[in-house]
Amino acid sequence: QVQLVESGGGLVQPGGSLRLSCEASGSIFRRDDLAWYRQAPGQERELVATISSRGTTNYAASVKGRFVISRDNAKNTVYLQMNNLKPEDTAVYYCNLRIAPVVERVYDYWGQGTQVTVSS
């Protein structure tokens, strides 16, 4: 079964940077679509960024220009580089891996979450 292990969260001051990592096992990683989500207490889960198996990326408007999602298929790892962090970026961040061998068989897997706190 697919396992996702996240790392890189922590406390950072506004304007600072963090890079989140999520290492996957148990899948043919290069074929999978990947995403980062975040959720703050009392808030709905928000899709932050996606990167397809072909490398196509998309970003939420709130992070566009500040965050970069990337993948290293050789390391089975997806990254989220977060720059110019703002207090509103504070949340638990989750990586997501989607396996879609055929359209009628789509499965989502989630990391355990890593806390990002942006505060002075």
Side-chain angles (χ1 to χ4, degrees), residues 8-95:
L11 175 65
V12 65
Q13 292 187 339
S17 297
L18 285 173
R19 188 176 76 160
L20 306 183
S21 300
C22 177
E23 183 176 1
S25 61
S27 76
I28 306 175
F29 186 82
R30 67 183 184 276
R31 300 183 182 178
D32 303 331
D33 297 328
L34 302 160
W36 288 94
Y37 291 77
R38 67 187 182 187
Q39 187 168 21
Q43 304 294 320
E44 65 183 5
R45 187 179 64 184
E46 176 187 19
L47 178 61
V48 176
T50 64
I51 183 166
S52 76
S53 61
R54 302 181 67 177
T56 301
T57 59
N58 287 284
Y59 299 91
S62 58
V63 307
K64 193 172 299 181
R66 299 188 297 120
F67 290 11
V68 178
I69 187 172
S70 62
R71 63 192 296 161
D72 186 338
N73 290 338
K75 297 181 178 179
N76 285 1
T77 300
V78 60
Y79 304 95
L80 185 67
Q81 177 67 47
M82 304 183 293
N83 301 313
N84 192 23
L85 283 160
K86 305 178 184 299
E88 55 262 40
D89 296 319
T90 296
V92 177
Y93 285 71
Y94 300 90
C95 64

Side-chain angles (χ1 to χ4, degrees), residues 74-119:
K75 297 181 178 179
N76 285 1
T77 300
V78 60
Y79 304 95
L80 185 67
Q81 177 67 47
M82 304 183 293
N83 301 313
N84 192 23
L85 283 160
K86 305 178 184 299
E88 55 262 40
D89 296 319
T90 296
V92 177
Y93 285 71
Y94 300 90
C95 64
N96 166 268
L97 181 150
R98 172 166 289 185
I99 297 175
V102 291
V103 294
E104 67 269 24
R105 290 286 184 180
V106 178
Y107 304 102
D108 286 306
Y109 299 89
W110 298 89
Q112 78 284 359
T114 185
Q115 177 72 47
V116 173
T117 302
V118 184
S119 176

